[in-house]
């Protein structure tokens, strides 16, 4: 990561309601329970970061690398994740309600217990290792069933 947890918190406090973190390297950073609602994270590298119970409501996160993140209970309500990579992500009990998941890659992601109600899943990519909210794997389920 380019910055430490402390530096991130100080930057979030200083930025007020619209943190700008586009393109920042946040890989492997512990961001547990940090509120980044409304943040601009376009193209950020969040690979292998810890986002347990973090809040990223309405965040702008297109083309973000979130592969292998540990994000149990992450709140992404209304977030724009267009084209992002969530391969191998642990998103158990995550809130993906109203999120834009257009062209998101979920290969090997764990969505057990996640809420995907009203999410946009156009062009979503997944494989047989993807675990859906009800525990079904890959093509055993239709992703659209979880958005109702």
């Amino acid at each position: 990561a380019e910055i430490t947890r402390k530096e991130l918190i100080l930057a979030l406090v200083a930025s007020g309601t619209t943190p700008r973190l586009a393109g920042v390297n946040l890989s492997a950073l512990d961001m547990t329970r940090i509120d980044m609602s409304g943040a601009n994270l376009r193209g950020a590298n969040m690979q292998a970061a810890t986002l347990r119970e973090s809040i990223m409501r309405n965040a702008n996160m297109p083309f973000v690398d979130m592969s292998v993140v540990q994000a149990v209970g992450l709140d992404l309500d209304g977030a724009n994740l267009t084209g992002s990579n969530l391969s191998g992500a642990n998103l158990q009990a995550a809130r993906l309600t109203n999120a834009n998941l257009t062209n998101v890659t979920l290969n090997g992601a764990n969505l057990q217990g996640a809420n995907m109600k009203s999410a946009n899943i156009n062009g979503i990519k997944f494989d047989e290792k993807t675990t859906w909210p009800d525990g079904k794997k890959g093509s055993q389920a239709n992703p659209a069933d979880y958005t109702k």
Side-chain angles (χ1 to χ4, degrees), residues 43-127:
N45 179 358
M46 299 176 81
Q47 187 176 28
T50 301
L51 293 160
R52 282 189 184 89
E53 299 175 11
S54 294
I55 302 168
M56 302 178 102
R57 292 182 201 132
N58 301 308
N60 187 35
M61 305 172 66
F63 311 107
V64 170
D65 183 354
M66 291 180 72
S67 55
V68 299
V69 295
Q70 292 301 312
V72 173
L74 174 61
D75 185 349
L76 288 163
D77 179 63
N80 175 15
L81 291 152
T82 301
S84 290
N85 180 8
L86 282 84
S87 296
N90 182 355
L91 294 160
Q92 291 180 74
R95 186 174 177 208
L96 298 163
T97 49
N98 307 300
N100 186 348
L101 303 176
T102 302
N103 297 324
V104 163
T105 302
L106 290 168
N107 293 342
N110 184 350
L111 295 155
Q112 180 99 37
N115 184 346
M116 298 172 65
K117 187 175 169 112
S118 299
N120 179 344
I121 56 159
N122 290 328
I124 202 167
K125 299 170 196 77
F126 60 93
D127 63 13

Side-chain angles (χ1 to χ4, degrees), residues 111-114 131-137 140-141 145-146:
L111 295 155
Q112 180 99 37
T131 304
W132 298 110
D134 60 2
K136 289 180 181 171
K137 296 278 192 178
Q140 293 177 345
D145 292 344
Y146 305 109

Side-chain angles (χ1 to χ4, degrees), residues 1-9 11 21 24-26 29:
E2 280 179 49
I3 61 176
T4 65
R5 179 179 170 88
K6 181 179 178 180
E7 289 168 337
L8 175 62
I9 292 168
L21 297 163
V24 173
N25 181 353
L26 301 168
L29 187 64

